[in-house]
Amino acid sequence: NMSHFFYDCSNIKSINLSNLYAPLVKDMSYSFYNCYSLNSIDFSNINISSVKNASSMFRDCKSLSSIDLSFLNNSHITNFNYSFANLKSLNFSYFVLPFVTDMYQAFYGISSLNISHLQLLSITDMSFMFAYDKQIEFIDFSYLYAPYLKSMNNMFYLSRLKFINLANLNAPSLISMNDIFSSSYIESINLSDLNFPNVKSLKYMFNNCNKLK
């Protein structure tokens, strides 16, 4: 267990975890939570292959502008709730996360995010994933593959996102998109070539989207 490992170490600026070998660790939740002066983490050659819980792992690391998360690719992590909240920048493009099921408010408050071609092979619920986001203006969801996703309710609720690309989003099990853009600041959405054959509920989808053109 490495949960709360550097919890609230607000003055630490750099952490070197290179060559860390901890293949039996399963919990890294809150491990860097509120390390708001942290601007560098070295994860090179790290082995934490059994980690399942990464909730709030980097939450409120507000000075962390670049981080190599390649060690998470094809990992066994199931929980990413709040994991990257309030980060400056994150690149998740072309990642395959085969076991992640929970990403509630995973990207709350993040300033820059790339999730193009992200594969979330087990996720079922993306509700409130970007809700209340006040920083990021554009998200490219093109070619996101989420075969078991069922709910996108309130996904961008009250978000200040301006532009969203959902073209070619493939979510064949999706059932509900209630309030997905409700009360957001969205101005433009690309919804071309979506694959949602089983959607049943779209209530209040664009409710109070006063900026939409």
Side-chain angles (χ1 to χ4, degrees):
N1 192 329
M2 289 177 64
S3 66
H4 300 78
F5 202 53
F6 292 99
Y7 182 91
D8 209 22
C9 291
S10 56
N11 292 317
I12 196 167
K13 294 184 178 181
S14 179
I15 296 175
N16 187 349
L17 293 178
S18 60
N19 299 303
L20 174 66
Y21 184 70
L24 300 182
V25 170
K26 294 184 178 181
D27 191 347
M28 290 191 73
S29 59
Y30 295 90
S31 50
F32 306 101
Y33 176 75
N34 207 32
C35 294
Y36 56 77
S37 297
L38 183 66
N39 55 46
S40 175
I41 305 180
D42 186 352
F43 286 119
S44 58
N45 299 311
I46 191 172
N47 185 337
I48 49 171
S49 54
S50 295
V51 170
K52 292 186 177 182
N53 187 359
S55 61
S56 296
M57 187 173 178
F58 301 102
R59 185 177 180 180
D60 288 338
C61 291
K62 297 180 180 181
S63 299
L64 198 59
S65 58
S66 179
I67 180 171
D68 182 1
L69 294 176
S70 57
F71 69 97
L72 296 178
N73 204 13
N74 285 298
S75 67
H76 288 82
I77 293 173
T78 60
N79 188 338
F80 268 132
N81 293 341
Y82 295 101
S83 292
F84 312 104
N86 292 316
L87 260 66
K88 281 188 176 180
S89 179
L90 186 66
N91 185 358
F92 248 155
S93 61
Y94 292 93
F95 267 59
V96 178
L97 300 172
F99 301 106
V100 172
T101 57
D102 301 304
M103 295 189 79
Y104 182 83
Q105 290 196 27
F107 305 111
Y108 172 90
I110 199 167
S111 299
S112 176
L113 178 65
N114 184 354
I115 53 175
S116 61
H117 296 270
L118 175 64
Q119 293 189 40
L120 299 169
L121 303 182
S122 297
I123 199 162
T124 59
D125 192 348
M126 293 171 75
S127 300
F128 292 94
M129 195 170 178
F130 302 95
Y132 312 106
D133 201 299
K134 298 178 181 179
Q135 300 291 330
I136 194 168
E137 293 189 353
F138 172 75
I139 289 184
D140 184 1
F141 267 102
S142 60
Y143 300 100
L144 173 67
Y145 182 52
Y148 297 106
L149 179 62
K150 293 184 178 180
S151 175
M152 294 174 79
N153 293 340
N154 301 96
M155 191 170 177
F156 303 101
Y157 180 71
L158 280 174
S159 170
R160 290 185 178 270
L161 269 164
K162 292 183 179 180
F163 310 103
I164 300 178
N165 184 8
L166 293 176
N168 300 292
L169 176 59
N170 191 353
S173 300
L174 189 64
I175 295 174
S176 179
M177 296 175 73
N178 296 335
D179 290 284
I180 183 172
F181 304 111
S182 182
S183 300
S184 69
Y185 284 68
I186 290 173
E187 298 178 7
S188 177
I189 306 173
N190 185 353
L191 299 173
S192 60
D193 298 308
L194 297 180
N195 181 17
F196 296 159
N198 292 302
V199 167
K200 295 180 180 179
S201 184
L202 298 168
K203 292 187 300 183
Y204 299 102
M205 188 170 178
F206 299 103
N207 177 53
N208 200 31
C209 289
N210 296 324
K211 302 281 187 180
L212 193 61
K213 302 175 182 178

